[in-house]
Every structure is written in C-alpha cells, then in structure tokens.
Amino acid sequence: MFPKATINRCLFFLILSTQFLQCNNGQTIDAIPNLNFEEWEENSLQDDPFLMADTTHKIANAKVGKLTGWSAFGQSAVRTTDAFEGDYALVVNSWYGTGPGVVDLGQCRVTNRSQACGMPFQGRLNKLNGHYKLVAGSTQGNHVLRASVTVYSFRYNAASQKRDTVALGQLFLEPTEEYTPFEFKITTILEDDLSDSIAVVIRVDGSDC
C-alpha cells in the first residue's frame, strides 16, 4: 500500500550509476553482486504514485521494486532508465518526505534493536567510484540535501563475538543536476586483518523543510 500521492514536506533523489569497488592490487571486484544496479526482480516492479506526483524533477521510467542483492528501507529503491552507463540506475529517494532513503548491500539482520547488513567478502579494499546526481523534488519551504555512500569491511572477533571494523570509507555528496563522477578511498584501520564481510550503505535525506 502506498500513502496518498501528494508531496509531504521534502522529497530528495540520489541517482547512482556504474559503481566499482577496487582492491589494493588495482583489480575491480566482481564478487559483489549487482554493484552496477542492473538487476532487479521484475515481478516486484511497480509504478509509485508518490514519485509520479512530483512535478519538479521527473525520474525517467521510475519503478519502485526489489534491487537484486540489496536491502532497502521501505520503498527507498527505485529503478530508472536515466543511467550514466548501461540500461538502469538506482534512485534512492527519501521515504515519502518523512524519513531518509536507505539502501544496503546484502541482507539485513536485526538483533537487539540494531541492524547488521552486508555479505561475505575476503580481501582488502582500496576505493569506490561511480557517477551520481543529487536533486530535490517537490518540497515545501527551504531544504538542505544530504547524501552519502559508506563502505565498511569487517572481521568477526570470536573473543568479543562482534564484528571489528577492518576498513572504512565514506563520501558526502554535493547536489548536482548532471551526472558527476565520484571516488573515495577506503582506509585500512586494522593492518593485520583481512575482512570476512563487507557492507555498503547508501543514504539520502534532508533538513530544514
């Protein structure tokens, strides 16, 4: 069920296309599924009347649905044909103007009121790059857009029974109407440990609406 198709306060779109993760040896990582956002579960795709109600920034052929290999908060994940390269790009939209849009790599597990997302991965990461747009849809009042892409790599610590952060990289994105390249380094925190899992978190929201 969708809420009534009217714009409620703020609506923000982060459009991502053609992401690549790279190891320290310079090789592109192919083990991460669907990092270019081309694969979607076809039977999950549907028109979103909330997006269709936006008159400020039209998303080309927007279909809300399940992005293969990723988890989304609410209806945050939207497929669009407005891709920098390939057939499709990912739109992460604020949750009906009342909350952030969040998309995570892999499956998410909720325990003790916390959420752990990601997938198995062994190696040492170097950088992430791709192309993006960050725009505001129909909004009420002033607004400040906020969007970020964060990469974590972890290793399970048997003694503490928790995940240690092996490496971390994060980039806060500036608003742009046109596809703009981005790249950021993933910094190693624990030099002697290789990761056994990876998490990628894509988030968009705003303030002062």
Side-chain angles (χ1 to χ4, degrees):
M1 285 292 292
F2 288 108
K4 186 179 178 181
T6 56
I7 302 301
N8 178 16
R9 293 178 64 80
C10 293
L11 180 61
F12 305 112
F13 304 117
L14 172 61
I15 307 175
L16 283 172
S17 183
T18 322
Q19 285 196 75
F20 295 100
L21 267 173
Q22 196 173 85
C23 286
N24 278 2
N25 61 9
Q27 293 182 336
T28 300
I29 297 171
D30 297 321
I32 308 300
N34 205 19
L35 201 59
N36 59 359
F37 314 124
E38 289 289 330
E39 298 176 20
W40 297 75
E41 295 183 9
E42 289 292 333
N43 61 359
S44 72
L45 296 169
Q46 57 183 309
D47 292 330
D48 186 339
F50 187 76
L51 289 179
M52 295 171 67
D54 176 55
T55 58
T56 301
H57 189 89
K58 290 291 186 181
I59 301 298
N61 301 309
K63 298 281 187 180
V64 63
K66 178 70 174 69
L67 177 63
T68 303
W70 296 72
S71 300
F73 170 62
Q75 304 290 338
S76 296
V78 176
R79 189 183 76 177
T80 178
T81 55
D82 180 15
F84 178 80
E85 186 175 300
D87 294 326
Y88 303 117
L90 165 67
V91 182
V92 184
N93 63 275
S94 55
W95 175 233
Y96 294 113
T98 61
V102 182
V103 175
D104 294 276
L105 176 67
Q107 298 300 310
C108 295
R109 178 172 50 88
V110 179
T111 57
N112 298 325
R113 298 183 181 180
S114 65
Q115 179 170 289
C117 305
M119 60 167 290
F121 171 79
Q122 291 185 337
R124 196 177 294 280
L125 300 173
N126 181 30
K127 63 182 179 180
L128 175 70
N129 56 42
H131 291 79
Y132 82 99
K133 299 179 184 180
L134 177 58
V135 297
S138 299
T139 62
Q140 295 179 7
N142 297 320
H143 58 268
V144 177
L145 286 83
R146 292 189 297 242
S148 61
V149 181
T150 308
V151 178
Y152 305 89
S153 63
F154 300 106
R155 187 168 186 84
Y156 182 72
N157 186 321
S160 65
Q161 297 186 345
K162 295 181 179 180
R163 297 189 299 178
D164 290 338
T165 302
V166 175
L168 172 65
Q170 185 177 57
L171 180 66
F172 291 93
L173 302 170
E174 295 293 329
T176 174
E177 292 277 346
E178 304 296 330
Y179 266 119
T180 302
F182 73 88
E183 179 176 293
F184 62 92
K185 183 175 176 57
I186 300 166
T187 302
T188 299
I189 298 172
L190 300 178
E191 291 287 349
D192 296 332
D193 289 338
L194 292 177
S195 66
D196 58 20
S197 63
I198 183 176
V200 180
V201 182
I202 305 167
R203 180 185 175 98
V204 60
D205 64 356
S207 64
D208 300 329
C209 297

